[in-house]
Amino acid sequence: MRPCATTACDHAQLLTQERHWDEAEAAWSEVASSAGGVGDREARSRALVSAGDAAFRADRPALALCHLTQARQAMEAASPLGSLLGVQIAGVHMELGKPEAARAVLEEVARATPPPHVQAVLLDTRIGLALASGRVGGARADLDALRQVAAVDTDAAVLFRQGQVDRLEGRFPEATEALASAAVLVRDEPRFDGPLGAILLELAQVAVFREDHDDALSLLDEAEAAWCRARRRSGILRTEAARLHLAASMGACDLVTGGIVRAIAFAAERELRMLETELHLAGGTALLSQDRAAAARHLRRALAMALDAGALHLAGRARLALHDAVGGSLEELETACAELVETPPWRTRGLLALALARAREPEGRDAALDLASTAFCRFSAMSLPADEARARTLLWQLARRA
């Protein structure tokens, strides 16, 4: 490579090391253009891969997709590097809210029988796709396969996915143990600040759902600090979304509107569809105690986007919150419960909401009693005392109507 090209590469590499993601993307794009101009296809492909990675970290998935697709087109798609790029492209499709495109690329890579290290990344991405779609059963099957490929159960990626699956299935002590172990493995490695932020955010989500407010606040602060070090604004905004859910459970939702509008505008401008969906859901939930009409607008948008992206668990959660905002039919609550079938903690909250709705019907006491009893037992089994108390209160009220 010519001296001037080497200097450009060094500059791009320095920007990457310092995590100036937008500037790094521009620098690597320039290197790729220069390499292409002199016919150095290998150097161009390498620079495009680096540009794509920088664009993804800069929260510009559409631009990342462009770079990575060009890089993959310049090589054998079934080669180890081509397969790895395919998996990266699938991850970008996920952020863009295009699960079918992601699934198609992953299936193509799987058919090529990639080497073990690519298989591990493939399985990890498939787990992420399944969880994003609310299909936790499929994620668990791939998690078992990932353990075999990774060969070591203490691998941080395995522990992280294990914690995610346990959290969504309501095994909160197990989720906390797995995620805490994963955090230990990456905490002292600056290059893993992004993964650490993701792990700490998952731990915070456990505390948020269990309404352990002090633990949740502490973990959210730690997660935000890690995301800030990684210079990943999307991670910071996901942490802010979790803060809004926590504030809603604490009854402390003040000055939500301005912050959530700015966050949603950022996600929309960057085409971060899954993040935008999460932010609408969080904003709508937080606004329930302040402005039900505004809450309903956010929640309807969250529901439409979740359905479009095939994110059934987010759709179910949006339906439940929308019912709190403006009411609705029993059929809507039943649909929410069906969408949440693979996420037992949320489905059980749906059953309790359905019990409350049945209890308002003149002849609905017996059906409400059955639903509330089921919810009470499941909340107890999942060690969710606040939810258990709500179910107990409804059971007591129904008993008085006997």
Side-chain angles (χ1 to χ4, degrees), residues 320-341:
L320 290 183
L322 191 56
H323 190 274
D324 286 343
V326 295
S329 66
L330 291 173
E331 288 75 15
E332 279 292 304
L333 287 175
E334 289 168 348
T335 299
C337 289
E339 290 165 334
L340 296 165
V341 67

Side-chain angles (χ1 to χ4, degrees), residues 9 51 75 91-92 99 103 116 121 124-126 129 132 138 150 192 246 257 272 277 283 310 317 326 343 356 371 398:
C9 281
M75 62 184 68
V92 176
R103 197 169 289 113
V121 181
D124 180 74
T125 305
R126 272 199 345 206
L129 177 60
F192 291 141
L246 176 62
T257 307
L272 294 160
T277 305
R317 289 172 58 186
V326 295
T343 52
L356 284 164
L371 289 164
L398 292 168

Side-chain angles (χ1 to χ4, degrees), residues 1 9 14 48 90-91 125 175 256 273 276 283:
M1 187 174 291
C9 281
L14 179 62
L48 284 171
T125 305
V256 168
R273 298 294 180 242
E276 187 182 350

